Each structure stands twice: as structure tokens, then as C-alpha cells.
């Protein structure tokens, strides 16, 4: 089993530029999550998908963040335009059901300069 | 927003000693989960305890849950240097927020060889 695959691993961009992160969950996992983790903090949920439906996006800053999960498999998270405060690790996780343990990817470390 | 609060924030012990980390939360939960995160890596699911359970074991891990006190503890017995990591509790919401998993700030555990 390949695990949850995220790319890129690292990204450095200038503020006001767009950036996109990609996540491929474990095959058969219907539930997919995007979390943001600031240094020294726990992860904070941005959006949760059940198949292709976003069932909780209440903490996604919709003015600059967008996400999609086409065909209920891969997902992309986009920021446009990026701000300095967006520097963080963006984690994707998947699970086979709502209350199974999550499997996390290694994350994308974003630095906005 | 973060629901769980871990205590202590940092813990330093010698190999072979036991490590105990505590987690307190504020609202009612469906379940509580513990995760480990090695530096620069994604989170790894350790154990899930449901709200109607009081204690659960997995190898050298023992988790307790006291819903009346809204608290949980994670005990790692006979610790090893490889247990050095950050440990997060995460609360699974019920009710109107069903399906939402909220992480605490984490406890940094250092096990000295």
C-alpha cells in the first residue's frame, strides 16, 4: 500500500503568487481531509470530503483558498493569492470511514516570502 | 480552534522509563484518538478510544478516557529512544459536528538513550 501521497514536498513562493498542492489518498478511502499545521501547533482542519462532496469547509478561508476532489479520488488545494501568514505545512489525510484512524501524508511545507 | 489541550507541553525522560501524557477537552465527544508525529513527517495514528470505553491497550500503549472529567491519558511503557516525537490527542465530535476531528497542541516527548 503506497499510503497517502502528497506533492510537492516543499514549496517556496513570493507573496501574492498562486500555489497548488496535490493529494492522492489511499485507494478505497472515501473520506479525505486537508489540514494546516503551523510550527509548534496541532493540525487544524481546512476541509473534509466524503467522496467528492465537501461536507465541512467551515474553516477554509474561501476568499483565497479553494479545493476540489474530482471523481472522489485525488484532491487539490489552491491558494490564490498567497500571504505571508499562509506559511505552514499542509497535510492531507484519508480514512475508509468517518471514525477510522486517519492516514496522513508527509505534507507540503509552504514558505511564502 | 483546538479542542484538546495536552499536558505537559514537553516531557523528557530516560530510556526504559514510562511516559504519561494527558489531554483535556471541553465539549462532548464521540471518540478520542492519539497520533504521533516525528519531526518533519506526517502524523501516525496510534489508538482510538470510543466515548463508551474507559481503557484501551495497544502494545506498549495504554489509553484511558474519563468522560466525566473530559480527559484522557496516554501511557507509553518502557520507552525507547525511537519513541521521541510529538504526540497529539484528537477529539472526534458528535452531534451537529459529527465527523469532525480536532487536534490539540501536542506534547513533545524526548527519550534519552
Amino acid at each position: 500500500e503506497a499510503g497517502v501521497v502528497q506533492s510537492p514536498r516543499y514549496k517556496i513562493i513570493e507573496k501574492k503568487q498562486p500555489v497548488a498542492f496535490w493529494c492522492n489518498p489511499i485507494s478505497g478511502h472515501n473520506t479525505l481531509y486537508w489540514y494546516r499545521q503551523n510550527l509548534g501547533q496541532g493540525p487544524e482542519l481546512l476541509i473534509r470530503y466524503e467522496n467528492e462532496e465537501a461536507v465541512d469547509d467551515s474553516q477554509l478561508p474561501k476568499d483565497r483558498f479553494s479545493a476540489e476532489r474530482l471523481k472522489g479520488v485525488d484532491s487539490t488545494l489552491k491558494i490564490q493569492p498567497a500571504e505571508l501568514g499562509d506559511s505552514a505545512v499542509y497535510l492531507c489525510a484519508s480514512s475508509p470511514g468517518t471514525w477510522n484512524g486517519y492516514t496522513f501524508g508527509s505534507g507540503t511545507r509552504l514558505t511564502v516570502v | 480552534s483546538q479542542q484538546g489541550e495536552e499536558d505537559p507541553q514537553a516531557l523528557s525522560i530516560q530510556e526504559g522509563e514510562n511516559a504519561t501524557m494527558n489531554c483535556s477537552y471541553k465539549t462532548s465527544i464521540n471518540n478520542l484518538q492519539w497520533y504521533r508525529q516525528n519531526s518533519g513527517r506526517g502524523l501516525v495514528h496510534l489508538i482510538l478510544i470510543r466515548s463508551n470505553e474507559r481503557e484501551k491497550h495497544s502494545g506498549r500503549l495504554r489509553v484511558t478516557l474519563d468522560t466525566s472529567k473530559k480527559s484522557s491519558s496516554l501511557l507509553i511503557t518502557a520507552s525507547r529512544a525511537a519513541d521521541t516525537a510529538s504526540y497529539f490527542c484528537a477529539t472526534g465530535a458528535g452531534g451537529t459536528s459529527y465527523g469532525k476531528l480536532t487536534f490539540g497542541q501536542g506534547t513533545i516527548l524526548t527519550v534519552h538513550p
Side-chain angles (χ1 to χ4, degrees):
Chain A
E1 194 170 74
V4 176
V5 179
Q6 288 188 249
S7 68
R9 187 80 173 87
Y10 302 94
K11 190 74 176 180
I12 301 174
I13 62 170
E14 293 184 345
K15 63 181 180 182
K16 300 184 182 180
Q17 293 302 305
V19 64
F21 315 123
W22 176 78
C23 172
N24 184 257
I26 291 176
S27 177
H29 281 196
N30 297 327
T31 312
L32 183 145
Y33 316 81
W34 283 102
Y35 279 82
R36 177 171 59 189
Q37 186 176 25
N38 292 306
L39 188 64
Q41 304 289 313
E44 294 185 312
L45 180 68
L46 292 173
I47 190 167
R48 174 166 66 99
Y49 282 94
E50 294 286 348
N51 297 305
E52 65 272 12
E53 182 183 359
V55 295
D56 184 355
D57 63 355
S58 57
Q59 293 180 251
L60 188 72
K62 298 182 184 65
D63 57 335
R64 297 184 300 107
F65 286 64
S66 65
E68 61 181 9
R69 189 182 185 198
L70 299 176
K71 299 182 181 180
V73 183
D74 293 11
S75 177
T76 56
L77 177 69
K78 299 177 182 178
I79 308 175
Q80 183 170 10
E83 297 179 352
L84 295 177
D86 295 330
S87 294
V89 176
Y90 290 83
L91 294 163
C92 178
S94 70
S95 68
T98 301
W99 290 137
N100 300 90
Y102 295 5
T103 301
F104 279 84
S106 296
T108 296
R109 182 176 296 277
L110 173 67
T111 302
V112 182
V113 298
Chain B
S1 63
Q2 303 201 295
Q3 151 97 297
E5 291 186 7
E6 281 96 335
D7 171 59
Q9 290 188 335
L11 180 61
S12 182
I13 59 174
Q14 295 295 127
E15 214 167 24
E17 294 180 341
N18 295 342
T20 300
M21 288 159 269
N22 302 297
C23 170
S24 61
Y25 57 92
K26 296 174 183 170
T27 61
S28 64
I29 62 172
N30 178 287
N31 63 81
L32 188 144
Q33 305 179 30
W34 286 89
Y35 288 78
R36 182 188 73 225
Q37 185 176 37
N38 291 88
S39 180
R41 310 294 294 177
L43 287 82
V44 174
H45 179 254
L46 296 176
I47 199 164
L48 181 153
I49 186 165
R50 303 189 190 285
S51 59
N52 61 352
E53 298 176 309
R54 292 297 166 258
E55 188 171 312
K56 207 160 184 181
H57 297 255
S58 177
R60 293 184 296 112
L61 306 180
R62 173 178 168 252
V63 169
T64 62
L65 178 64
D66 187 334
T67 53
S68 67
K69 295 181 179 178
K70 291 187 168 59
S71 67
S72 173
S73 67
L74 171 67
L75 168 67
I76 304 174
T77 59
S79 63
R80 306 166 182 168
D83 294 328
T84 294
S86 293
Y87 291 81
F88 295 90
C89 72
T91 52
T96 56
S97 296
Y98 185 83
K100 184 172 183 176
L101 192 67
T102 305
F103 287 80
Q105 307 264 24
T107 292
I108 300 172
L109 173 65
T110 304
V111 182
H112 300 280

